[in-house]
Amino acid sequence: MNSVLRIEGLYKTYPGSSSPALANASMEVRAGEVVSIIGASGAGKTTLMRCINRMVEPDAGAVFIEGTEITQLRDSELRNARRRIGMVFQHFNLVNRLTVMQNVLHGRLGYMNSLDGVMGRYSEDDKLRALNLLRETGLEEYAYKRAGELSGGQKQRVGIVRAVMQKPAVMLCDEPIASLDPANSRVIMDLICELAKQGNIGCLVNLHQVEVAMEFSDRIIGMKKGYIVYDGTTSALTDQKLEYIYDKPMHLLTIRSEVAQDG
Amino acid sequence: MAKSNESSISTGRTPIAHPDDRRNVLVFALTVGILFTFATWYTGFNPFTSLLEMSEFGRFITQDFLPPRVTNMPGIMAAMMQTIYLALAASGTAMVLSLLWSFCGSTAVIRNKSILTLARSLASVIRNIPALIWTYILVFSFGIGTHAGYLALTLSSTGFLTRSFMETLDEVAAENLEALRATGASTPAVIAQAIIPAAMPGLVSWFLYSVELNIRTSTILGLVGAGGVGLLMMTYIKQFNYAEASFVIFVVAVATIVVNLLIDIIRKKVLA
Amino acid sequence: MEIGDLSTMSPSGVESEVAMIATQVRAVQMPEIAFTPVSALELPYSQRDAKIAVSIPRYTLPVTLFWGCVFILVIVSFLSLKLDFAKIFSRVGNLGGVVSKLSHLTSDKLDVAIGALMESVTVTILATVYGLMIGLIVGGLAAENITPWKPLAAILQSFFSLLRAVPTMIWALLVLVCLGFSPATGIVGMLFHVVAFFGRAFAQSFEEVPQATIEALLACGANRLQIFFSAIIPASLTSLIAWTALRFEVNFSESSILGMVGAGGIGYTIMASMSSYQMERAGTAILMVFVFAFSLELLLTSVKRKLKV
């Protein structure tokens, strides 16, 4: 399996802040892999993710998408790089007034020229693919409903389909289940894992639920105060390491002890 | 906390309101009190004397104004229609101009700080000078008649619509823009495929409001000579022809009410 | 259904993969998709050109129709007005000249201008304060959830609409006959709209107070007046303040114009100066209006922001 995402020495300090949000972050995600990032609030998980697709500009370091370095790209080259990166958001970020079909087809805009994009002239093949993806995710009967009418779990599925429509090499999921109930959370995590395998997409998932990370990931990355302090398998993640990542003793963390004890 | 203990010791009364609220209410009451006293002193306004003098008002209305007399129905109707046309034409022009302008002033679309500031300040200047003053300046430059009226209405509508649109766009942009930029879509595509559809209810609503507002303003433009019913009304009043003036006022009132009702219905239908 | 590894294929490979999927899907799976359209209009496939739809007419039609009608009406208006754009463009030079003359500010007779501005400001203050007091009372009477007599609310609302249907300028002109050329004319003239506005706006705010709150106090045995002051007003306070701030700005705008019909105020100064071609004085007066209105807007926006915190 080849590396679809690699970052080397990423640094980011927000203006007005004395400590770095991201410091010397280096890691790699391979095609078909599901990698979860865990850590306390403010540890740098979201900053890391946003530096990857340059929603936030890193101060230093390199980001390689399918081998291409993207931190210096401008305008159309940056857009070309971004279309290879799908992103899933905690609050779904759909256009509620538009239909589900219109929302998922937004994923193709990065591949269309400006005029077609403005006119909304999606190809018939794209539309067909959208319908089929919606059917696979159980959303076919909502294809022509306004996105705002859907439930949270359904909206997140729409968000994921939008990302998959991009035929991405990498998928960044920023706290995808934080707004969902436990049942929907499982559906979403299952979907992400299945898509990763099927489409050979490298998935990076920000999670604050450690047990979910342990269950669904191939690898876990632990962050603390901007640094990557753990990068390894779920089985090697001991209680001790968790306490270090979260800077709190186990009895003050809501992590199911049976899972952690496997380490 | 220590503060409230102190006051309860000194006055023996236990406060119940939040200390912030108490301070805010005090500041507010003091400000209003000072402004009110100053204003009353400066203008010498005595509501009771005015009330007394207004008793004449009832007699004035019933004797001089009513019953309304109609001699020039076609003229009045034509003037009213002209007023409405002015309002529509101005709203239409303003809509297009404001849309373009608000894009320039919205952080959603433009990153360049200087363009943003320029757009926002210019809108502020136009918005903060009352429409009738603009009208007067324009009448001065373009002469009496509908041309000045059209320009004045367009100018003031653009000023206020631009701010409203900027607010709407900012609200919309915060959530949606991110997702689409992340997919690699170009800015025009993002505007057309996401920003405008999401902002549509706001656009429709504000446009309808600007039509309402313009019809109101349009009726009085004539008072400074810019065409429409206002001019007719002013003429009658100057001639002390109150009965005919009252009919024109009646027509204006009816038209305003009808337009408002229509717009309410349209608003409900379109923004289902 | 399996999607092949498209990311590593060549473009033509991707094309053929997608085409293959498409034919499979069209041949086998399309007829099985069960949509539940409400009417023929809502079929996702347009029968005419067999293109897949991305949205349905029920959503897109109202807005398109609306703007279509607006477009037609605007064109009709333009044609009926018979505006001579050539004349407008030829006279733009005039506007430039006027504006440049207005920009020459002067401190000549500044005291008169300031006096006139003060008059407009004080008229605004008094009209707002009196309007506020009356508005609270009639607003309470016009709110459907707290009015003592049910039909009164509807009657008052219609009355407000009537009051607002006549432009303020006209009310001012009418009041002029009784009260003469004095600030009182401006104040009373403005009150018609201010009271109508506050009445309707406050009623709306009062109606937004949850019925549950009111019921709870009724159950305690509180009387109508007590409920009004102890529950309704505090609950709707932020709303009331927002309305008041909004109307204050509008009131200043109105009061500065009222001068133009002959009552005092900065509007009169502007008009009088311009009629006598004393453009510098007019320009100064206009600038004063702008500065005041702009500062007011800034002040109120920051106050509103602080309160929302």
Side-chain angles (χ1 to χ4, degrees):
Chain A
M1 277 195 296
N2 41 348
S3 146
V4 287
L5 167 66
R6 192 172 92 241
I7 62 174
E8 277 174 13
L10 275 184
Y11 280 86
K12 175 70 188 177
T13 308
Y14 289 108
S17 172
S18 50
S19 52
L22 198 58
N24 205 10
S26 305
M27 56 93 169
E28 197 184 13
V29 178
R30 289 179 281 272
E33 238 190 339
V34 175
V35 178
S36 295
I37 308 183
I38 61 171
S41 304
K45 312 198 290 288
T46 303
T47 309
L48 174 61
M49 206 158 264
R50 272 148 201 247
C51 280
I52 292 177
N53 63 2
R54 288 178 60 194
M55 306 285 276
V56 166
E57 293 288 354
D59 294 332
V63 177
F64 294 89
I65 303 289
E66 294 179 293
T68 315
E69 213 284 306
I70 69 165
T71 52
Q72 305 305 318
L73 297 180
R74 315 238 117 241
D75 301 332
S76 58
E77 288 177 340
L78 178 59
R79 284 205 302 272
N80 290 349
R82 279 188 173 157
R83 65 192 185 192
R84 301 296 292 156
I85 311 173
M87 195 156 185
V88 177
F89 299 83
Q90 176 184 352
H91 297 295
F92 328 124
N93 286 22
L94 304 175
V95 184
N96 285 321
R97 252 184 82 84
L98 296 179
T99 60
V100 165
M101 273 294 274
Q102 286 173 307
N103 271 287
V104 303
L105 282 166
H106 282 165
R108 298 304 303 164
L109 287 175
Y111 290 92
M112 297 157 67
N113 66 51
S114 258
L115 191 60
D116 283 337
V118 166
M119 304 293 291
R121 283 209 289 250
Y122 305 107
S123 73
E124 291 306 300
D125 288 329
D126 282 339
K127 293 187 210 170
L128 215 54
R129 183 157 176 264
L131 280 173
N132 282 303
L133 280 173
L134 288 175
R135 148 191 296 216
E136 272 183 54
T137 49
L139 293 172
E140 54 180 310
E141 56 188 275
Y142 298 95
Y144 295 94
K145 291 255 158 74
R146 285 202 220 258
E149 295 172 25
L150 272 54
S151 73
Q154 292 166 332
K155 282 186 187 169
Q156 193 59 296
R157 279 184 272 164
V158 174
I160 293 177
V161 172
R162 177 178 58 190
V164 171
M165 282 297 289
Q166 288 174 236
K167 296 192 192 146
V170 177
M171 223 157 78
L172 304 174
C173 306
D174 193 359
E175 308 252 17
I177 57 174
S179 305
L180 303 177
D181 65 47
N184 276 312
S185 297
R186 178 161 293 277
V187 170
I188 294 300
M189 289 310 295
D190 278 336
L191 187 57
I192 292 178
C193 292
E194 188 188 313
L195 289 169
K197 300 287 177 285
Q198 257 189 20
N200 230 3
I201 304 171
C203 288
L204 197 57
V205 188
N206 267 350
L207 287 171
H208 60 254
Q209 301 95 326
V210 177
E211 68 277 16
V212 175
M214 303 274 257
E215 186 182 338
F216 290 94
S217 335
D218 298 320
R219 234 169 72 223
I220 294 199
I221 290 179
M223 289 190 74
K224 179 175 178 177
K225 300 216 173 88
Y227 290 89
I228 294 183
V229 296
Y230 180 83
D231 185 348
T233 58
T234 58
S235 44
L237 187 61
T238 60
D239 275 8
Q240 205 182 22
K241 296 191 176 126
L242 277 171
E243 286 184 356
Y244 176 67
I245 292 173
Y246 284 95
D247 227 356
K248 281 211 161 63
M250 283 304 284
H251 66 268
L252 286 181
L253 300 169
T254 57
I255 300 174
R256 280 199 330 248
S257 41
E258 316 94 78
V259 181
Q261 266 163 23
D262 286 337
Chain B
M1 273 294 107
K3 244 183 148 181
S4 47
N5 283 341
E6 276 173 36
S7 58
S8 67
I9 290 173
S10 55
T11 63
R13 292 177 68 176
T14 323
I16 54 170
H18 193 279
D20 272 352
D21 275 353
R22 281 209 319 233
R23 186 199 59 203
N24 287 341
V25 169
L26 211 63
V27 166
F28 180 71
L30 221 64
T31 322
V32 172
I34 294 175
L35 290 174
F36 180 75
T37 323
F38 172 70
T40 310
W41 164 77
Y42 193 89
T43 56
F45 179 67
N46 186 337
F48 302 106
T49 28
S50 296
L51 216 62
L52 236 64
E53 288 166 8
M54 286 295 288
S55 58
E56 285 281 302
F57 194 63
R59 204 160 58 82
F60 171 51
I61 293 284
T62 46
Q63 289 206 333
D64 295 331
F65 258 78
L66 302 173
R69 197 170 67 211
V70 192
T71 48
N72 188 9
M73 186 62 140
I76 295 178
M77 283 299 136
M80 194 65 226
M81 287 314 291
Q82 192 180 66
T83 304
I84 295 182
Y85 291 141
L86 272 176
L88 283 172
S91 283
T93 325
M95 183 75 188
V96 174
L97 292 174
S98 305
L99 219 48
L100 294 171
W101 197 329
S102 57
F103 277 127
C104 294
S106 169
T107 44
V109 177
I110 302 272
R111 313 297 183 86
N112 189 329
K113 276 277 159 73
S114 38
I115 298 184
L116 273 176
T117 348
L118 185 66
R120 294 192 111 115
S121 349
L122 214 54
S124 193
V125 170
I126 293 184
R127 198 174 62 238
N128 280 313
I129 297 183
L132 224 60
I133 294 184
W134 283 120
T135 315
Y136 198 70
I137 297 177
L138 288 163
V139 166
F140 217 73
S141 321
F142 292 92
I144 294 189
T146 50
H147 297 89
Y150 164 72
L151 289 171
L153 275 181
T154 308
L155 194 65
S156 66
S157 302
T158 312
F160 123 87
L161 274 182
T162 306
R163 177 168 87 159
S164 313
F165 286 169
M166 281 190 202
E167 280 175 12
T168 313
L169 287 177
D170 283 341
E171 276 171 28
V172 162
E175 16 154 323
N176 299 307
L177 193 63
E178 251 195 345
L180 269 99
R181 285 229 180 275
T183 63
S186 65
T187 312
V190 172
I191 295 177
Q193 287 300 317
I195 299 186
I196 294 196
M200 193 56 85
L203 297 182
V204 170
S205 208
W206 282 117
F207 173 76
L208 288 174
Y209 182 65
S210 95
V211 172
E212 267 190 64
L213 202 59
N214 277 346
I215 294 199
R216 272 184 223 270
T217 322
S218 183
T219 51
I220 56 175
L221 283 185
L223 293 171
V224 291
V229 258
L231 198 55
L232 212 57
M233 194 178 342
M234 205 51 178
T235 327
Y236 285 145
I237 290 186
K238 287 211 171 106
Q239 296 168 344
F240 297 104
N241 203 340
Y242 294 125
E244 300 209 38
S246 81
F247 180 70
V248 178
I249 296 177
F250 175 72
V251 169
V252 167
V254 167
T256 314
I257 294 179
V258 166
V259 167
N260 285 2
L261 283 174
L262 271 176
I263 287 186
D264 275 339
I265 296 176
I266 295 178
R267 193 175 269 138
K268 282 192 197 112
K269 278 272 156 77
V270 175
L271 300 178
Chain C
M1 192 184 81
E2 281 209 38
I3 311 169
D5 187 358
L6 299 169
S7 58
T8 53
M9 278 184 193
S10 65
S12 53
V14 170
E15 265 184 61
S16 52
E17 177 84 18
V18 171
M20 197 171 64
I21 296 172
T23 39
Q24 284 177 358
V25 159
R26 271 195 213 108
V28 178
Q29 295 171 301
M30 282 295 95
E32 292 174 38
I33 295 183
F35 293 94
T36 46
V38 172
S39 74
L41 267 181
E42 294 190 344
L43 285 176
Y45 304 98
S46 157
Q47 309 291 21
R48 284 172 288 136
D49 24 55
K51 263 183 159 186
I52 303 176
V54 289
S55 185
I56 53 175
R58 187 155 65 95
Y59 295 153
T60 57
L61 209 55
V63 174
T64 326
L65 217 67
F66 171 75
W67 288 117
C69 292
V70 165
F71 184 69
I72 294 175
L73 282 174
V74 170
I75 301 284
V76 166
S77 305
F78 269 111
L79 293 174
S80 315
L81 283 175
K82 299 194 193 62
L83 293 172
D84 188 349
F85 280 97
K87 188 157 85 148
I88 292 181
F89 280 118
S90 69
R91 294 214 184 155
V92 171
N94 283 15
L95 182 62
V98 169
V99 171
S100 81
K101 286 204 203 107
L102 286 174
S103 328
H104 289 105
L105 306 173
T106 174
S107 51
D108 177 37
K109 292 262 179 82
L110 199 62
D111 49 339
V112 173
I114 293 184
L117 182 68
M118 285 313 293
E119 192 171 324
S120 292
V121 171
T122 49
V123 164
T124 311
I125 294 174
L126 289 176
T128 313
V129 172
Y130 283 114
L132 187 58
M133 296 193 294
I134 305 177
L136 279 172
I137 301 173
V138 290
L141 292 172
E144 287 176 2
N145 55 351
I146 54 178
T147 185
W149 187 46
K150 263 297 162 100
L152 186 60
I155 295 176
L156 278 178
Q157 295 275 11
S158 322
F159 186 60
F160 294 152
S161 301
L162 282 173
L163 284 183
R164 296 192 74 193
V166 175
T168 302
M169 289 282 263
I170 309 228
W171 286 120
L173 278 174
L174 297 179
V175 171
L176 194 61
V177 177
C178 306
L179 298 182
F181 289 101
S182 74
T185 311
I187 299 172
V188 175
M190 282 177 64
L191 274 179
F192 287 92
H193 269 225
V194 176
V195 167
F197 174 84
F198 278 147
R200 203 171 74 149
F202 290 170
Q204 189 184 317
S205 303
F206 293 153
E207 282 167 6
E208 281 170 5
V209 175
Q211 188 59 21
T213 315
I214 304 174
E215 277 177 0
L217 278 156
L218 279 171
C220 293
N223 70 29
R224 208 172 277 281
L225 217 60
Q226 290 169 330
I227 296 180
F228 186 66
F229 282 103
S230 312
I232 307 267
I233 297 220
S236 46
L237 200 59
T238 35
S239 219
L240 302 183
I241 295 178
W243 287 128
T244 311
L246 177 70
R247 190 69 207 189
F248 193 77
E249 279 189 57
V250 175
N251 282 352
F252 176 68
S253 191
E254 281 193 346
S255 99
S256 49
I257 305 179
L258 280 183
M260 300 178 102
V261 289
I266 195 87
Y268 181 71
T269 312
I270 295 175
M271 199 165 82
S273 312
M274 282 181 79
S275 321
S276 48
Y277 290 93
Q278 292 169 306
M279 307 301 259
E280 304 82 21
R281 288 181 57 192
T284 319
I286 294 176
L287 183 68
M288 281 164 43
V289 169
F290 168 72
V291 168
F292 189 82
F294 182 69
S295 324
L296 194 60
E297 187 184 310
L298 286 179
L299 180 70
L300 291 177
T301 317
S302 75
V303 165
K304 267 188 272 187
R305 212 175 293 144
K306 278 209 199 111
L307 284 179
K308 266 182 190 137
V309 169

